Amino acid sequence: MKKSILFISSFLFTAAVFAQPTSYTIDSMSFNALSLEGGMTQVRFADVNQDGNLDMVTIGDHGSPNINANEHGITVFFGNGTGSNWTLFQNGNFGYGGCAVGDLNNDGKQDIAYSMHHNMGTAGSGGDKLIEAALGNGSGKSWTAWDAGLASNGESYGMFGTDLGDVNNDGLLDIGSNSFGLGPGVHIYKNLGTGNWKQTFTAGYGGTTGKFLQFGDMDGDGNIDFVVSNEVGSAYFGNGNGGFTLKQAGLPLLPDLNENPYGDVSLGDIDNDGDDDFIFTFDNSTTGIRGVYVYKWNKSAQSWTNVSSGLPNSTTDYFTAARLVDTDMDGYLDVVTSSYYSSDIQIWKGNGGSSWVNNFSIKIPGMGGVQDIAISDVDHSGYPDILVWGSFSDGSPYFPQSVNKIRLLRDVSVVHGISANLSYPKGNECWPNYAVRFITWTSGVMGNHSTSVKIEYSTTGNSGPWTVIAAAAPNNGSYQWGVPANVNSSTCFIRVTATDNVNGTTAVDMNAVAFNIGCNASTGVGEVAEGNSSVVFPNPMLQSSVIYSEMRNCDISIIDITGSIVKKIANVDNFPFSIERGNLSAGIYVLELYSESKIERIKVVVE
């Protein structure tokens, strides 16, 4: 069971143990400033202006608010940490579709990737491609297209669900997108770090697709995998170089083509073993099988195992959303789902993967299907809140029977002091060198006090010594980290320390079980190549060095001990090549040469 440790001056005591009855209040007013019509959407919580408070991000629903009208573009509701009084800002005239938020160019500012069903924007508005990437300036109000090469491989319409993940372990976030309907299928684009993107994978073109795609690591090998709603299959395992293999064995059988029974798809680690498990809604009209299902990947058998005991299924009702999240903060993920005909949100409590028990439901009057849900602690209570974007019976110009509305289920926990609860990594994970990973946590904050978070890592156990990742990060629950290049350890720990800047109290938490850095079960890009053709001389470097290499048309990066790229040179084709020290501080760095077919890394000492 997870605990939050509270420090006051030099006194140490254990704060209240997380896990309590869950209760919510329904907020139906906070998002009324946004005009909605109907149809699908994807919504995210992210701190786009890095003020420590989560914001709500979307690119709208169908029409927003009228079909064939100018759409909302990038839509942000700025949060103030209370879960109410959100401030709306809209940028652009494109949409609708899916979105994801992260730092695409490693400048410390939040950027956005998004995919659209049909483009209604104009060149210069940031929305003139069906798959887009745009850099933020730190305000959450201004975005600059960074999109060369995107949506250039058969995406004619219908792109939608979007996620970000480092599919080739090179320290840059890449884009995954899925269409819906009889659309162009799945498309994975690799981030080249220069505003240019290159497709590495596609699947399911022209088949029946659903909405969402989510990245994760289902087999624990350190390489990014993904799940998706697509008629040709739903679980794809990555090779660490941007390629993927479908592994459907053991999952519910797919019906004939032109029917896609997989609805909502998502990932989460239900048993804290370091790999992600697969949750999805399923609606097979041929067999009448409907319900919410969770499956685990069995590495030895190379197939999926059903661990859905107790979860809802029905021949008369169906379920439109499913997520894995620790709603009561007891250390185990629970299932949040929605029933179409019952018009409710249900929570099924998890115990580590053997069974699920329905311990909570809340009726949302008039709601039919749920288009999307986003779950995060928006009010700094230390417990997650649930935003529901659903269809309601109502009149509208294009959808006379339904209209979308937003409801926020905000937990009613009372905060008595600062708390911290690290939610990822939990332990046993495999994080390759150079890769981008997200450290996540929740933190209760008293009276909307100003707070910050110190994030550290240890490679020698939970007693340290500790290396600082961020000295005073915003207390927003997520930190994007470039995994260090020079670490190889199976006894790694992440420690987060939340500080109340008003009264000086702090709370500390770390993963209960060690995880691994420097691991990779594949022979992909995540590993340092054997038999490098490249040499740096002189090494150590004083003012400059010369690189000798047989590689061609490659990017050269200099990476510090935290895994951050401190210098990058693109499209080097002629060697020997001279590289200047510039403003590099003395220390140990990794010089990386990266091409489409090969990666080589050399340790360089700067004196």
Side-chain angles (χ1 to χ4, degrees), residues 70-244:
N70 286 341
E71 303 193 38
H72 287 323
I74 301 172
T75 298
V76 179
F77 272 99
F78 289 96
N80 60 13
T82 67
S84 59
N85 298 316
W86 302 75
T87 303
L88 175 63
F89 187 86
Q90 298 164 256
N91 186 295
N93 61 344
F94 51 86
Y96 61 104
C99 64
V101 177
D103 185 356
L104 298 176
N105 62 342
N106 294 331
D107 68 348
K109 299 173 183 177
Q110 293 297 288
D111 311 313
I112 190 169
Y114 48 98
S115 306
M116 290 176 281
H117 175 51
H118 50 74
N119 170 35
M120 302 187 78
T122 57
S125 73
D128 58 344
K129 291 187 177 181
L130 291 178
I131 301 175
E132 283 284 354
L135 301 182
N137 67 354
S139 70
K141 297 182 177 182
S142 179
W143 311 90
T144 302
W146 208 60
D147 59 1
L150 286 174
S152 58
N153 290 279
E155 302 93 332
S156 56
Y157 73 100
M159 301 313 299
F160 196 81
T162 308
D163 204 9
L164 293 170
D166 185 358
V167 302
N168 58 339
N169 302 323
D170 68 345
L172 295 167
L173 288 176
D174 309 303
I175 295 176
S177 177
N178 185 40
S179 61
F180 72 89
L182 294 173
V186 180
H187 293 262
I188 307 296
Y189 280 89
K190 180 173 62 177
N191 183 352
L192 301 182
T194 59
N196 292 275
W197 302 79
K198 182 173 183 178
Q199 182 169 280
T200 65
F201 182 78
T202 185
Y205 184 87
T208 302
T209 61
K211 291 190 289 186
F212 300 133
L213 174 151
Q214 183 178 336
F215 287 122
D217 184 2
M218 294 179 283
D219 55 1
D221 70 347
N223 294 324
I224 291 294
D225 313 313
F226 69 85
V227 290
V228 69
S229 178
N230 193 289
E231 73 173 25
V232 301
S234 291
Y236 290 82
F237 288 63
N239 65 4
N241 198 22
F244 296 87

Side-chain angles (χ1 to χ4, degrees), residues 254-278:
L254 292 164
D256 294 335
L257 293 181
N258 299 321
E259 182 176 355
N260 174 38
Y262 287 85
D264 199 7
V265 295
S266 190
L267 293 170
D269 185 359
I270 64 172
D271 51 3
N272 301 334
D273 65 350
D275 58 40
D276 285 319
D277 308 304
F278 184 16

